[in-house]
Amino acid sequence: MLISDFIVELLSSLLQSIIPTSKSKLEKNINQLMGEEWFSQMNNDYRYNYIIWHNRKVKRFLSKPENVKILKSKEDEKEKFIRLVIQEHQKFVKLY
């Protein structure tokens, strides 16, 4: 039993490192945006950091590489994203 458990665990971790998951896509995209000063400041703010990493809408948006490119190149889309994060934070705070 122990050997089979070990093999299953080993294969599982190997597959996770080969096949990109949505979390690894999210991490990759967030790391790309960290080069942008405005995003880095939001991410460093504990209120917005939580929303960036845990809010369903924001995570879904940031998981798409094409959205990251748009955020880096279009000022109006950046402003919309900032408003989205702030709105989602306000909703989250109202829950408590």
Side-chain angles (χ1 to χ4, degrees):
M1 275 291 201
L2 283 175
I3 293 177
S4 64
D5 291 340
F6 174 74
I7 291 172
V8 168
E9 184 69 29
L10 182 63
L11 289 174
S12 172
S13 64
L14 181 62
L15 282 175
Q16 287 178 349
S17 65
I18 294 173
I19 300 170
T21 63
S22 61
K23 179 145 174 102
S24 65
K25 288 179 187 177
L26 177 66
E27 289 173 357
K28 179 183 173 190
N29 292 342
I30 287 176
N31 284 336
Q32 286 181 8
L33 284 172
M34 288 300 285
E36 303 290 316
E37 185 178 343
W38 65 270
F39 186 84
S40 180
Q41 288 176 352
M42 282 192 87
N43 192 53
N44 289 335
D45 186 322
Y46 71 94
R47 299 169 298 175
Y48 303 130
N49 175 280
Y50 184 84
I51 299 301
I52 289 169
W53 288 97
H54 300 284
N55 181 272
R56 183 178 45 86
K57 286 182 187 177
V58 174
K59 282 174 39 179
R60 189 176 335 134
F61 182 84
L62 291 176
S63 292
K64 297 178 182 175
E66 58 273 12
N67 290 341
V68 172
K69 289 178 185 176
I70 290 171
L71 286 176
K72 291 174 84 173
S73 63
K74 295 188 178 183
E75 189 69 26
D76 61 328
E77 293 298 323
K78 175 181 87 169
E79 296 300 325
K80 286 181 188 176
F81 176 77
I82 291 170
R83 282 194 304 270
L84 171 67
V85 173
I86 291 170
Q87 288 170 352
E88 292 301 312
H89 174 260
Q90 289 171 346
K91 288 180 191 176
F92 177 73
V93 172
K94 287 180 182 177
L95 291 175
Y96 293 100

